[in-house]
Amino acid sequence: MTRMTPLLERNERFAAAYTPAPLGPPTAQLVIVTCLDHRVDPAITLGLKLGEAPVIRNAGGRVTQAVIDDIAFLGLLAEQLFSRQGDTGTLFEVAVVHHTQCGTGFLADPNFRHQFAQVTGLPEPALEASAVTDPHATVTADVERLLAAPSLPSKVSVSGHVYDIATGHVTTVADARYPLPARRA
Ligand SMILES: [Zn+2]
């Protein structure tokens, strides 16, 4: 017995009407970075369909080194597999989406942070910095971090958005921008 049983029944209904998406670049030309919170699933909040956009999720939707590595991987795949010869166009846009009422906000509490640091061995200052208490501020900082990453392909743009749990609305905080060539110097 598994708690997956009712979901596997849903999957049977899904598979009955399923058409596989062909291997190809994401049709929305987007990669979404967002929180793992079960209230902010972009397939539902943004109406994403299969084949439209890869989604990278972690606590807070933060731009960590692991996220930067995943985006470099997706960029290389897109460049090698899906770019036409002599194509000077863009690859995709990365949309970073943070949200209100984020559970990572508990990391701003010194007692909670201390307990989590003891369990994981992670340094407390890093945990404090990973908390999303002001999603407008953290999403702005993470857009800048990704744009400054040397491994970000120059044909990838980055935008920032905030999802409001109370209203269901997504607001754009930072319009899509390409990295400056100077970061490679
Ligand atoms: Zn969250």
Side-chain angles (χ1 to χ4, degrees), residues 35-37 60 99 102-104:
C35 185
L36 48 68
D37 193 307
H99 70 97
C102 187
T104 61

Side-chain angles (χ1 to χ4, degrees), residues 93-114:
E93 174 181 331
V94 180
V96 185
V97 186
H98 289 182
H99 70 97
T100 60
Q101 302 176 22
C102 187
T104 61
F106 287 108
L107 292 170
D109 175 71
N111 289 327
F112 183 88
R113 187 166 69 236
H114 184 66

Side-chain angles (χ1 to χ4, degrees), residues 4-183:
M4 278 290 284
T5 301
L7 301 195
L8 294 174
E9 288 168 5
R10 293 185 202 176
N11 171 255
E12 283 302 319
R13 291 195 289 278
F14 163 78
Y18 174 66
T19 311
L23 178 64
T27 55
Q29 295 181 294
L30 272 169
V31 173
I32 311 282
V33 177
T34 197
C35 185
L36 48 68
D37 193 307
H38 45 296
R39 300 169 298 169
V40 303
D41 187 339
I44 294 172
T45 63
L46 299 173
L48 278 186
K49 296 181 176 65
L50 295 179
E52 283 195 317
V55 177
I56 303 170
R57 299 180 72 173
N58 63 23
R62 302 310 306 268
V63 173
T64 60
Q65 187 57 49
V67 167
I68 292 170
D69 292 345
D70 278 345
I71 290 165
F73 170 73
L74 291 170
L76 197 61
L77 271 186
E79 187 104 62
Q80 304 258 320
L81 298 180
F82 305 127
S83 283
R84 288 179 299 273
Q85 202 98 51
D87 191 353
T88 54
T90 59
L91 292 176
F92 51 79
E93 174 181 331
V94 180
V96 185
V97 186
H98 289 182
H99 70 97
T100 60
Q101 302 176 22
C102 187
T104 61
F106 287 108
L107 292 170
D109 175 71
N111 289 327
F112 183 88
R113 187 166 69 236
H114 184 66
Q115 282 180 33
F116 188 55
Q118 290 206 311
V119 169
T120 59
L122 293 167
E124 288 196 44
L127 292 176
E128 188 173 14
S130 70
V132 176
T133 49
D134 177 353
H136 291 81
T138 51
V139 85
T140 302
D142 280 9
V143 164
E144 295 305 328
R145 175 162 196 215
L146 186 51
L147 283 169
S151 65
L152 184 74
S154 55
K155 288 196 248 174
V156 170
S157 60
V158 185
S159 62
H161 316 264
V162 170
Y163 175 70
D164 188 332
I165 293 258
T167 67
H169 282 287
V170 174
T171 309
T172 296
V173 175
D175 280 325
R177 279 179 7 248
Y178 289 92
L180 295 171
R183 87 209 141 100

